[in-house]
Amino acid sequence: MVSRQHNLFEAAAAYVTACAENDYDKSMEAARWVSPEALSFGVNELACRAVIALARERDESPQTVARTLLGLPAA
C-alpha cells in the first residue's frame, strides 16, 4: 500500500488537533508527515488564522485574543 503525501497544512491541522485532544500518538504521526520546519510554519499559519478569526468573531484585536488565549494580562 502506497501512502499518500500530506501537505504542511494538513499536517499542522492534524498535529494541533491531536495536541488539543491530548493524543500523543496522533500528534507524533502528523509530525512525521512533513519536515519539522514545514510543521512549524504550518502551525504558525494556523495560529495566526485562528487568532484573526476569533478576533473578528469577538470584535477584539488579535493581540487581545492572543493574550487571553494564553492567560496573559491585557497589554
Side-chain angles (χ1 to χ4, degrees):
M1 178 175 159
V2 176
S3 63
R4 79 173 186 88
Q5 290 290 100
H6 298 275
N7 72 41
L8 66 101
F9 296 118
E10 288 177 310
Y15 180 82
V16 170
T17 300
C19 289
E21 295 172 346
N22 291 318
D23 190 330
Y24 178 79
D25 292 335
K26 284 185 181 177
S27 69
M28 290 299 95
E29 177 186 345
R32 288 190 296 269
W33 293 350
V34 295
S35 72
E37 295 82 11
L39 182 61
S40 178
F41 176 82
V43 169
N44 182 65
E45 186 65 23
L46 178 58
C48 289
R49 291 180 188 195
V51 167
I52 290 168
L54 282 172
R56 287 180 182 153
E57 182 179 296
R58 297 177 180 183
D59 197 27
E60 296 177 341
S61 73
Q63 181 182 27
T64 298
V65 170
R67 293 183 69 84
T68 298
L69 290 171
L70 293 170
L72 299 172

